Amino acid sequence: MASDSFQYRVLFEYKRERGDDISLQTGDLLTVQKATLMAVPGLDYQDGDERSPRGWLHGTNERTKETGDFPGTFVEYIGLRIGPPAAKSWPRPVPPIPGGPHTDMGAQPPGAAAASGCEISALDIPSSSVIAAELILQL
């Protein structure tokens, strides 16, 4: 569940010092499970403590996908973890090989045909645009 983890942004670079540590670069996003935060030795966790982390935290670096320990004083709380984006409702087509034969690109999101250089039928253009184009052609 998304509300069971917190996200932090790295403020200061950190180089791994021990085998369980993860290296951090300024700007990295880190995810820490609430259960992990509650289990930090010596930290009597209370709701809201995630906003001012102390000691060592255990989490995942979203850039490198490494999981390990890092100093809580090197990060700032940015909020609850937001889950991964929803899957697209259409498959992303593979572009044609440059100079190769053109193939059917399959299902496309609205407007993708125009961006890919494919022809546009009059059915794809709003009627107000067609009327405007006809007026311009009459001038």
Side-chain angles (χ1 to χ4, degrees):
M1 186 177 231
S3 64
D4 290 337
S5 59
F6 305 109
Q7 280 204 311
Y8 296 88
R9 181 177 297 117
V10 175
L11 298 173
F12 308 104
E13 184 176 319
Y14 174 75
K15 299 281 186 197
R16 177 189 315 213
E17 294 179 356
R18 296 184 180 183
D20 293 343
D21 295 355
I22 56 175
S23 294
L24 308 174
Q25 290 182 5
T26 303
D28 281 353
L29 292 179
L30 306 169
T31 300
V32 175
Q33 298 294 320
K34 183 175 181 178
T36 302
L37 191 62
M38 293 174 67
V40 174
L43 176 65
D44 184 23
Y45 178 82
Q46 303 290 320
D47 279 338
D49 284 350
E50 70 276 1
R51 296 178 183 279
S52 302
R54 303 184 304 263
W56 290 87
L57 302 180
H58 184 84
T60 301
N61 186 323
E62 296 297 326
R63 178 182 56 85
T64 64
K65 304 302 182 205
E66 291 180 311
T67 298
D69 299 331
F70 59 91
T73 54
F74 280 47
V75 299
E76 68 176 338
Y77 174 78
I78 58 173
L80 297 174
R81 170 138 166 65
I82 299 171
K88 292 182 181 178
S89 59
W90 61 88
R92 182 174 181 190
V94 177
I97 299 171
H102 295 287
T103 60
D104 179 24
M105 296 185 68
Q108 296 287 306
S116 67
C118 297
E119 291 184 27
I120 301 173
S121 73
L123 297 175
D124 293 335
I125 302 172
S127 60
S128 60
S129 297
V130 173
I131 294 169
E134 289 175 356
L135 290 173
I136 291 171
L137 291 174
Q138 290 176 1
L139 296 176

